Amino acid sequence: GEGGGGEGGAAPPASGGMAPNPAMTGAFPAMPTGGATGGGGGANVAALEELRNHPRFGELAQAVAANPQMLPQILMALEQNNPGLVQVIRENPEAFMRLLSGAAGG
C-alpha cells in the first residue's frame, strides 16, 4: 500500500501559518520589482538555505544543469515529499536558479 508516515523525516513541518495568497497558487507570481531580495521573504530565503544544505541538493542541481527541461518533473517529484519547499521554489524561481547554478559549479 501507499501511505506510511508521510510526516516523518528531518524536514520541519510545512504548516507554519504561511497560507499562500489563493490568487497565486498554481501560477508563478509576478516577480516583485527590485529583485528577489524584497521585504517579507525571510521565511522563503530560510527554506532555500535549508535546501542548499540538503545532502542531495548537489545531485538535484546537476540534474537540472544537465537537463533544464526536466525541472518541472523534478519539482513534481520533490512536491510529493516537500510541498512547502516546492512552493518556495515557485515563488522564488530566480533565487532557486542562482542556488542551482552555484551548486552545479556554474
Side-chain angles (χ1 to χ4, degrees), residues 55-72:
R56 297 191 61 192
F57 179 67
E59 227 175 284
L60 170 72
Q62 284 168 342
V64 175
N67 303 293
Q69 72 277 14
M70 290 288 291
L71 183 58

Side-chain angles (χ1 to χ4, degrees), residues 11 54 77-87:
H54 191 282
L78 256 181
E79 202 163 20
Q80 304 295 312
N81 300 316
N82 303 287
L85 177 62
V86 173
Q87 184 187 336

Side-chain angles (χ1 to χ4, degrees), residues 32-62:
T33 53
T37 53
N44 292 351
V45 172
L48 284 173
E49 285 293 325
E50 210 171 287
L51 173 64
R52 190 167 64 183
N53 296 328
H54 191 282
R56 297 191 61 192
F57 179 67
E59 227 175 284
L60 170 72
Q62 284 168 342

